[in-house]
Amino acid sequence: VQLQASGGGLVQPGGSLRLSCTSSGFGVEYYSIGWFRQAPGKPRQGVSCMDTSGKFTHYADSVKGRFTISRDNAKNTVYLELDSLEPDDTAVYFCAVTEPPPYCSLSGDRGQGTLVTVSS
């Protein structure tokens, strides 16, 4: 089960990005998918996850109201919309199969991440 994140980049504080998580070889519709991030020198942090139906989600307190997770099963993709970005959001973001919300614990291999840098 391999997932790949993309869409990162350099953005100014207050800006927005949309990250995409796509799979190779399996349908994401069958799995709860979560987003995680890891900044240099800091532990991995769970950001958000969504169940297979798309009806149930969970967000870390630090991103609640600013980030939005969604899925498009027809495109085999899970998205993470990042709005009102802050310098503390700078990290490598990756996606993975997780337990359903609200648990969202990592239950699969992490895929290749994408770097988000928030700086003026």
Side-chain angles (χ1 to χ4, degrees), residues 48-70:
S48 179
C49 80
M50 172 176 276
D51 76 330
T52 56
S53 73
K55 296 178 181 178
F56 298 99
T57 59
H58 177 78
Y59 295 92
D61 288 343
S62 58
V63 306
K64 203 171 292 184
R66 300 188 298 120
F67 292 7
T68 305
I69 191 171
S70 62

